[in-house]
Amino acid sequence: MLRLSRESLKAGQSAWEAAGVGLPKFELETVAKNTQVNPQWVHFGAGNIFRGFVANAHQKLLDSGQADTGIIAAESFDFEMIDKVYKPYDNLTLLVLMNARGEFQKKVVGSIVEALAADKNRAADYSRLIEIFEQPSLQMASFTITEKGYSLTGPDGRYLGIVEKDIENGPGPGRQVHAMSLVASLVYRRYLKGRYPMTFVSMDNCSHNGDKLKQAVLTMAKEWAKRGLVEGGFIGYLEDEHKITFPLSMIDKITPRPSETVQAALLEQGIGDMDVIVTSKNTYTAPFVNAEISEYLVIEDKFANGRPPLEEAGIIFTDRDTVNKVETMKVTTCLNPLHTALAVSGCLLGFTLIADEMKDSTLRRFVETIGYTEGLPVVVDPGILSPKQFLDEVLQERFSNPFIPDTPQRIATDTSQKVGIRFGETIKSYICREDLDPAKLTAIPLAIAVWCRYLLGVDDEGKPFALSPDPLLETLQGHLGGVKLGDKTSGVHAILEDEKIFGVPLYSTGLGEKIENMFYEMLEAPGAVRKTLDKYLK
């Protein structure tokens, strides 16, 4: 039985290859030693998209001899990732790429050569991070820590202020330091050591991610400066783009939770010790990462201390305006609105997999109409990617892939924070065009009506179901009151007239009443959701 380790790769190379697993084409030990003395890249956020996409891209450079140092992974939230997934497997990952036809591509990713818990309470790991940041060779720190990782306020809205001892002495026993505090303290060490340049690249799937990262680091630094904890020149250093840059990026790749189907297939092929691990912080992980083949990473080419030639690995480098356009294309037209429509309708109709929804002719027409018919006429074309081809791939390959266990329940999370971008922006575009009438839209208002119906927490059979987390859930359900199937209520009007949610006045565009009527139709009786979808999507 094969087990993922450096020793196994050396001793059993032929056995791994016989199992159809591609192996690194470089000397792992040599790259690790180079990285130890000449670190160039540290990445915060040791999760699946990093292991299955970013690290794999860098591996292509190592395989081709275009790089000779690896990536240092630093985990700032769930330290069990380091202890249970990285160290026991010598920082190796078994990547399994899956297409909609069920074909698996397997390879060992070995570009991650060091893994650290980014925690001041772990003295050895924190000392190593300081050492890395004090090296002139360090070119960049990248991040996949989710949008929440950049927020400096807690769930209660209070500022996560950092006390004076945090910058030098750690946060104290039992209190985990905020990721942005840790990053700011490390870059301050770099400033003190030699004012060396470097770049911070957020690769998180959120709008203007680089700006969010910059704002968080600067806010932390300015807070310290007010208290006299850092030299005054530190702020200028962070704001000097000859020294420090925060480029924008757009990332797109589905890397869901580890699949038990993939785990069983690996075992059948003689690869063992691939157990799915659930950490105490509810992170689902494994020594393997299963992911779709499609992947996009577009980065603003603004690096202060050089960078790896990742364009040779398929990463697109461009200007800031183009990054914004690519993100807008994806988020407002070619992917995210379709995901949300499938999410809320899938929850109501009892689906648990996005791929299964794509087998439903009505739901497929739903997202095809949102994308092709209503979205493409006003899509933002970035020039470097074809919106039509991107949309084709989403609908024909990505959403239909049964081996990507993505659920409507996961995607329905925080929908109130998304509808304004995912649907409101297209409606705005229709308002601005003299040749288009927003009142004639059908699928987009239907998606909003379905979301309002979803908020009742009762499926199309009349059975209650658990709604996904949403910060406005209590308020939204309060508007709907105790409405039940068969009722009509004006409560939905209060939701639809809220421009803070939708970013557009739905009633003055002629869409408010249309959405209300669709909502009421879905209340008539059990089965009314399906009946309404069929009616408007025939």
Side-chain angles (χ1 to χ4, degrees):
M1 186 68 67
L2 296 171
R3 185 188 182 279
L4 192 61
S5 69
R6 290 190 184 185
E7 182 180 350
S8 174
L9 298 188
K10 279 184 179 179
Q13 179 175 344
S14 59
W16 282 97
E17 291 173 348
V21 179
L23 301 180
K25 298 175 182 177
F26 55 91
E27 289 292 332
L28 293 170
E29 291 78 7
T30 300
V31 170
K33 288 178 182 177
N34 291 344
T35 309
Q36 181 72 26
V37 299
N38 190 40
Q40 294 181 311
W41 185 354
V42 61
H43 182 91
F44 291 87
N48 287 346
I49 197 165
F50 164 60
R51 298 160 70 206
F53 185 2
V54 180
N56 185 41
H58 191 60
Q59 170 133 325
K60 295 172 185 177
L61 301 185
L62 290 167
D63 282 342
S64 62
Q66 297 178 86
D68 61 4
T69 62
I71 307 176
I72 300 154
E75 175 57 37
S76 59
F77 172 70
D78 194 338
F79 305 134
E80 289 178 57
M81 286 285 296
I82 303 299
D83 299 334
K84 295 182 178 180
V85 180
Y86 278 78
K87 291 185 177 178
Y89 301 93
D90 295 335
N91 303 322
L92 301 171
T93 296
L94 181 58
L95 175 60
V96 183
L97 299 176
M98 307 169 291
N99 64 25
R101 297 176 297 280
E103 299 164 342
F104 287 11
Q105 299 176 16
K106 304 185 293 293
K107 68 183 293 187
V108 172
V109 176
S111 60
I112 306 166
V113 297
E114 194 172 353
L116 304 168
D119 180 16
K120 293 182 179 181
N121 292 315
R122 296 200 183 192
D125 283 8
Y126 185 59
S127 294
R128 173 59 180 153
L129 279 170
I130 291 174
E131 179 183 316
I132 291 164
F133 270 78
E134 289 182 343
Q135 290 293 321
S137 60
L138 184 63
Q139 294 180 325
M140 71 169 167
S142 54
F143 300 80
T144 50
I145 58 174
T146 77
E147 185 170 6
K148 294 177 182 178
Y150 308 109
S151 174
L152 299 182
T153 56
D156 58 359
R158 290 190 302 171
Y159 172 63
L160 296 174
I162 307 304
V163 297
E164 294 184 10
K165 64 182 178 181
D166 283 349
I167 191 167
E168 293 292 342
N169 302 323
R175 190 164 76 83
Q176 183 175 331
V177 71
H178 190 282
M180 293 296 100
S181 172
L182 184 97
V183 171
S185 67
L186 289 169
V187 72
Y188 185 55
R189 295 280 192 151
R190 186 172 183 82
Y191 164 81
L192 293 175
K193 189 71 175 179
R195 278 82 166 158
Y196 303 130
M198 70 173 293
T199 292
F200 294 84
V201 186
S202 171
M203 297 178 179
D204 277 299
N205 185 21
C206 58
S207 178
H208 294 91
N209 47 19
D211 294 341
K212 286 182 169 64
L213 174 56
K214 180 178 182 178
Q215 181 182 14
V217 173
L218 269 172
T219 299
M220 199 69 68
K222 288 176 179 178
E223 220 22 67
W224 289 338
K226 287 179 185 176
R227 307 179 194 185
L229 298 173
V230 297
E231 293 182 4
F234 181 46
I235 306 302
Y237 169 71
L238 291 174
E239 293 179 328
D240 182 354
E241 291 199 343
H242 291 98
K243 295 290 187 179
I244 302 293
T245 56
F246 298 86
L248 303 184
S249 75
M250 189 288 294
I251 193 166
D252 183 27
K253 186 179 182 71
I254 298 174
T255 50
R257 289 178 175 179
S259 164
E260 293 182 359
T261 301
V262 172
Q263 180 190 19
L266 294 174
L267 185 61
E268 186 177 336
Q269 293 162 2
I271 304 171
D273 199 12
M274 289 282 127
D275 293 342
V276 175
I277 298 163
V278 184
T279 71
S280 59
K281 290 191 173 180
N282 206 39
T283 300
Y284 283 71
T285 185
F288 66 92
V289 170
N290 44 249
E292 64 173 347
I293 291 176
S294 301
E295 57 189 24
Y296 298 90
L297 179 54
V298 183
I299 304 176
E300 180 185 2
D301 200 359
K302 189 171 67 174
F303 288 75
N305 196 30
R307 61 170 175 78
L310 288 164
E311 62 269 25
E312 301 297 326
I315 309 304
I316 300 173
F317 290 90
T318 185
D319 58 81
R320 183 181 183 88
D321 185 55
T322 303
V323 175
N324 276 324
K325 287 180 178 178
V326 171
E327 183 196 26
T328 300
M329 176 200 77
K330 171 198 163 191
V331 171
T332 66
T333 305
C334 293
L335 191 150
N336 295 38
L338 319 183
H339 241 168
T340 292
L342 288 174
V344 292
S345 57
C347 290
L348 287 170
L349 297 176
F351 286 95
T352 56
L353 283 178
I354 292 294
D356 287 342
E357 289 192 73
M358 293 301 291
K359 299 174 186 175
D360 185 297
S361 59
T362 298
L363 295 182
R364 177 174 278 277
R365 280 197 304 277
F366 195 10
V367 290
E368 286 176 346
T369 305
I370 292 173
Y372 291 121
T373 306
E374 299 183 350
L376 283 185
V378 294
V379 70
V380 172
D381 188 343
I384 60 171
L385 295 172
S386 162
K388 170 66 164 54
Q389 291 178 6
F390 190 98
L391 185 56
D392 288 344
E393 185 181 43
V394 165
L395 293 174
Q396 296 169 19
E397 167 71 26
R398 301 178 67 184
F399 283 3
S400 300
N401 191 337
F403 300 98
I404 301 297
D406 215 357
T407 69
Q409 290 73 23
R410 180 190 74 83
I411 298 164
T413 300
D414 297 340
T415 300
S416 71
Q417 310 300 295
K418 302 170 181 175
V419 289
I421 297 294
R422 300 186 179 190
F423 301 122
E425 289 302 310
T426 295
I427 295 171
K428 282 182 189 176
S429 297
Y430 271 74
I431 294 171
C432 294
R433 289 269 296 268
E434 293 184 0
D435 59 326
L436 296 172
D437 181 0
K440 292 184 178 179
L441 291 168
T442 298
I444 287 176
L446 181 60
I448 295 172
V450 172
W451 173 56
C452 294
R453 171 65 179 81
Y454 157 90
L455 290 170
L456 295 178
V458 177
D459 69 18
D460 200 28
E461 295 181 354
K463 300 175 183 177
F465 68 91
L467 293 168
S468 301
D470 190 304
L472 293 184
L473 196 56
E474 185 176 345
T475 299
L476 294 168
Q477 289 192 306
H479 287 316
L480 292 174
V483 63
K484 299 177 182 178
L485 297 187
D487 289 347
K488 286 192 176 183
T489 175
S490 60
V492 72
H493 186 98
I495 296 175
L496 298 177
E497 70 177 357
D498 191 342
E499 289 188 41
K500 292 180 181 178
I501 294 176
F502 298 100
V504 64
L506 293 175
Y507 283 93
S508 64
T509 63
L511 290 176
E513 291 83 357
K514 176 182 280 192
I515 295 169
E516 276 196 46
N517 290 333
M518 291 171 167
F519 173 76
Y520 293 145
E521 289 180 51
M522 287 185 279
L523 288 178
E524 289 179 355
V529 173
R530 168 66 69 178
K531 181 180 177 182
T532 303
L533 288 168
D534 287 341
K535 171 185 173 181
Y536 288 100
L537 298 166
K538 54 186 176 179

